[in-house]
Amino acid sequence: MLLADVVTASASLAATRSRKAKIATLADLLNRADERELPAVVAFLTGRPTQGRIGTGWRTLAELGARPADEPNLTVAGVDEVLGEVGAASGSGSARRRAGLLAELFSRATEAEQQFLFRLLTGELRQGALEGVMLDAIAAAADVPAEAVRRAFMLSGQLPVTAAAAVTGGEAALGGFGLELGRPLRPMLASPAESLDEAVREHPSAIVEYKMDGARIQVHRDGDEVHVYTRTLREITQHVGELVSLVRALPCRSVVLDGETLALTDDGRPRPFQETMSRFGSTREEQVRALLLQPYFFDCLHLDGTDLLDKPLRERNEALRRVAGEHLIPGRTEPSDPDAILAAALDAGHEGVMVKALNSPYAAGRRGRAWLKVKPVHTLDLVVLAAEWGHGRRTGYLSNLHLGARDPDGGPPIMVGKTFKGLTDELLAWQTRTFQEIETHRDKWTVHVRPELVVEIELDGAQVSTRYPGGVALRFARVVRYRPDKDPADADTIDAVRATLKGAAQPE
Ligand SMILES: Nc1ncnc2c1ncn2[C@@H]1O[C@H](COP(=O)(O)OP(=O)(O)OP(=O)(O)O)[C@@H](O)[C@H]1O
């Protein structure tokens, strides 16, 4: 298949808002692709080359300036191979080698292909929102139930692998995906509840536990081998030695645990989220010693040879207590007084509580109602689109953030407001540096960036506005923290922003 076919499909995806039309375009393309190139086609369209990030900066690519070819002749397989070589280049002279390979690739691409490759390599094409559409397209192309595709994706975490299995082996191949020790699966997520009362009414048979203010971890142990993954399935084993030793000492042979990790202050309050996240990228010994992470487990997906994913929480809970009883998330009870647990959680500096239905299976990768979160402070996770240079004390710093909500149909983020509130001096310095690394262009006041960073914003709801394309604007927005554990695909949608309109119209 020619790269040009993928580029054309990508353009038609961008040109329509209809989910049905997108699925039809994708299914048609998948059907035309050769078995061997199918994974690459899926990877390119969802903006994630199979080789992962190639470590190519925007500037390097912009400087290539290759004259475009007249006729399309690049194949998907050919491009995939070159990107593989680029990704594999290491050691001395590797930067030059990478630039050489890319220059050669770009010189063989037409103008439209150059633009596509550029956006693919800089991560600009990465549209997690397209994932749902792609899952349905795979189901349509392979003529298998969408649920079977979704389940395989949850277990493998990889769309290209799922697509190849669906198209080559049908439902039987998809059914072959199980929980595999050492292969992380997408974590189960929660839905917001209006209030604790409402949540408890919805799940009369439930447990309530703290929603702790840390970072999600998934731990796999097989014998002595332990792996630790983040919410986005990034492996962080080498950074969290203390968690590895702790899990290795648990009374079992094999286990998969789901939980939250954080470091506490001396008086037992959560340390700032930024500090916990910084541990995920560092092996510096002094940093490790200064910030010892503790795990707080809340689910057990596998124990000693038995998969528990499809078992009800009640049963998973028993396994969890048996294997990790000393490291449970606090508060966890079948509540007689849920309000007291919520009060205690807030008192201890956490966000709120979770209410989880005892009869529910573990729905990997799903944001369902089996888990309800109750948080008194309303926040939204939004994507940073740009920032303006500050004034006065903030001269020289990128300050006022332009914020976007996710388009549920897979389009680019939709701007909903700006804020410069809540930024510490440290964050100002950090964002001034970081934004210029992911800059796409700038004008006199504003530096525009690739929509990669997710920031958590506290707000007083939204108001109707003609200033922004989504018809809504944030009210009294302020930055709570950056969310490096989230992809833009995890950001809140424009619908979630609109859902806060009502509250804004009726101040308490
Ligand atoms: N007891 C708990 N059970 C499940 N998740 C918990 C718990 N305590 C803290 N968490 C965190 O909350 C997240 C689940 O909430 P949710 O599904 O709403 O994801 P989220 O969108 O990341 O939420 P938020 O932005 O509110 O942290 C988990 O990813 C985990 O990091």
Side-chain angles (χ1 to χ4, degrees):
M1 171 173 281
L2 288 177
L3 179 67
D5 294 324
V6 177
V7 174
T8 308
S10 172
S12 358
L13 289 178
T16 176
R17 289 188 66 87
S18 153
R19 187 178 164 90
K20 241 169 136 184
K22 285 186 196 206
I23 293 173
T25 302
L26 287 169
D28 172 57
L29 192 76
L30 297 181
N31 272 326
R32 284 190 285 134
D34 184 284
E35 263 172 37
R36 279 163 307 157
E37 61 198 4
L38 192 73
V41 170
V42 172
F44 288 4
L45 277 167
T46 45
R48 292 174 186 273
T50 39
Q51 297 78 9
R53 280 183 167 245
I54 310 207
T56 312
W58 182 81
R59 290 218 167 75
T60 322
L61 287 172
E63 278 159 13
L64 286 176
R67 202 150 54 82
D70 295 329
E71 292 292 322
N73 57 30
L74 284 172
T75 62
V76 168
V79 173
D80 193 40
E81 200 182 316
V82 175
L83 296 186
E85 285 174 44
V86 173
S90 64
S92 74
S94 62
R96 199 166 341 116
R97 168 142 179 79
R98 276 204 292 268
L101 284 162
L102 286 172
E104 152 80 11
L105 180 68
F106 271 65
S107 71
R108 288 165 50 209
T110 62
E111 194 169 351
E113 288 169 339
Q114 283 188 351
Q115 277 167 15
F116 178 84
L117 287 171
F118 181 78
R119 291 172 59 215
L120 176 68
L121 294 175
T122 53
E124 238 184 286
L125 266 187
R126 196 161 356 120
Q127 302 181 355
L130 206 57
E131 242 168 49
V133 178
M134 182 59 95
L135 286 172
D136 284 347
I138 294 169
D143 198 18
V144 294
E147 194 45 47
V149 179
R150 198 161 287 132
R151 184 178 176 282
F153 176 48
M154 288 162 196
L155 291 166
S156 68
Q158 293 181 50
L159 272 176
V161 175
T162 307
V167 171
T168 53
E171 211 176 336
L174 292 173
F177 286 94
L179 198 160
E180 213 174 274
L181 292 174
R183 188 168 70 185
L185 49 101
R186 293 156 57 79
M188 178 165 176
L189 298 171
S191 293
E194 279 294 323
S195 68
L196 184 55
D197 275 358
E198 187 207 70
V200 174
R201 222 174 306 126
E202 187 165 337
H203 297 314
S205 181
I207 47 174
V208 175
E209 63 198 18
Y210 286 16
K211 184 174 194 303
M212 290 187 97
D213 222 349
R216 187 85 174 250
I217 46 165
Q218 188 180 120
V219 174
H220 290 232
R221 170 173 162 199
D222 187 2
D224 272 346
E225 197 174 325
V226 174
H227 298 274
V228 186
Y229 306 92
T230 63
R231 188 186 193 284
T232 48
L233 313 191
R234 186 163 69 83
E235 174 151 17
I236 48 161
T237 311
Q238 67 184 112
H239 303 306
V240 291
E242 71 270 48
L243 298 182
V244 172
S245 327
L246 184 146
V247 169
R248 208 176 269 147
L250 295 177
C252 64
R253 280 171 287 118
S254 65
V255 73
V256 176
L257 294 168
D258 188 6
E260 190 81 350
T261 191
L262 58 154
L264 298 178
T265 59
D266 290 340
D267 50 1
R269 302 177 68 79
R271 299 197 60 100
F273 178 72
Q274 239 68 350
E275 291 184 16
T276 302
M277 286 310 300
S278 76
R279 273 294 317 277
F280 287 9
S282 166
T283 35
R284 288 202 350 250
E285 224 174 272
E286 61 277 28
Q287 199 168 2
V288 175
R289 248 183 287 119
L291 205 71
L292 218 48
L293 294 176
Q294 289 291 333
Y296 300 93
F297 294 117
F298 48 72
D299 222 312
C300 179
L301 315 184
H302 172 103
L303 182 59
D304 287 338
T306 309
D307 281 356
L308 300 169
L309 280 179
D310 300 322
K311 300 275 191 269
L313 175 59
R314 180 174 284 113
E315 227 172 286
R316 302 201 308 277
N317 209 6
E318 278 164 28
L320 177 66
R321 279 186 184 284
R322 234 178 15 241
V323 68
E326 284 172 42
H327 307 284
L328 289 190
I329 193 112
R332 171 168 271 227
T333 43
E334 288 183 46
S336 52
D337 188 0
D339 293 294
I341 302 175
L342 177 57
L346 298 176
D347 235 27
H350 296 290
E351 290 176 293
V353 292
M354 292 286 214
V355 177
K356 298 179 176 175
L358 275 166
N359 61 4
S360 60
Y362 190 90
R366 279 289 181 85
R367 190 182 289 286
R369 295 200 66 85
W371 288 8
L372 295 173
K373 59 175 165 180
V374 181
K375 293 204 293 189
V377 179
H378 199 69
T379 64
L380 288 172
D381 295 321
L382 298 171
V383 181
V384 177
L385 305 175
E388 296 167 14
W389 293 105
H391 303 283
R393 215 172 67 79
R394 292 188 173 185
T395 302
Y397 289 103
L398 281 170
S399 172
N400 204 9
L401 300 172
H402 294 200
L403 302 164
R406 180 158 63 84
D407 175 356
D409 297 320
I414 301 160
M415 184 158 171
V416 289
K418 301 182 185 179
T419 188
F420 51 80
K421 299 217 172 72
L423 291 164
T424 59
D425 289 349
E426 213 181 341
L427 272 182
L428 280 170
W430 174 84
Q431 65 183 36
T432 303
R433 211 170 48 238
T434 306
F435 290 179
Q436 294 185 82
E437 285 164 14
I438 59 167
E439 166 179 352
T440 55
H441 59 286
R442 65 172 76 192
D443 47 47
K444 191 162 169 214
W445 299 115
T446 312
V447 171
H448 298 264
V449 299
R450 294 201 301 268
E452 284 179 359
L453 297 172
V454 178
V455 62
E456 188 172 341
I457 300 290
E458 191 179 319
L459 69 160
D460 268 11
Q463 60 197 8
V464 173
S465 160
T466 50
R467 191 158 7 126
Y468 296 119
V472 285
L474 307 177
R475 274 165 52 102
F476 303 115
R478 67 174 200 88
V479 172
V480 181
R481 59 189 175 183
Y482 274 89
R483 294 294 305 255
D485 59 330
K486 287 200 169 187
D487 280 340
D490 301 314
D492 281 300
T493 61
I494 186 76
D495 298 327
V497 180
R498 290 188 185 126
T500 65
L501 273 174
K502 198 179 78 211
Q506 303 167 340
E508 284 160 53

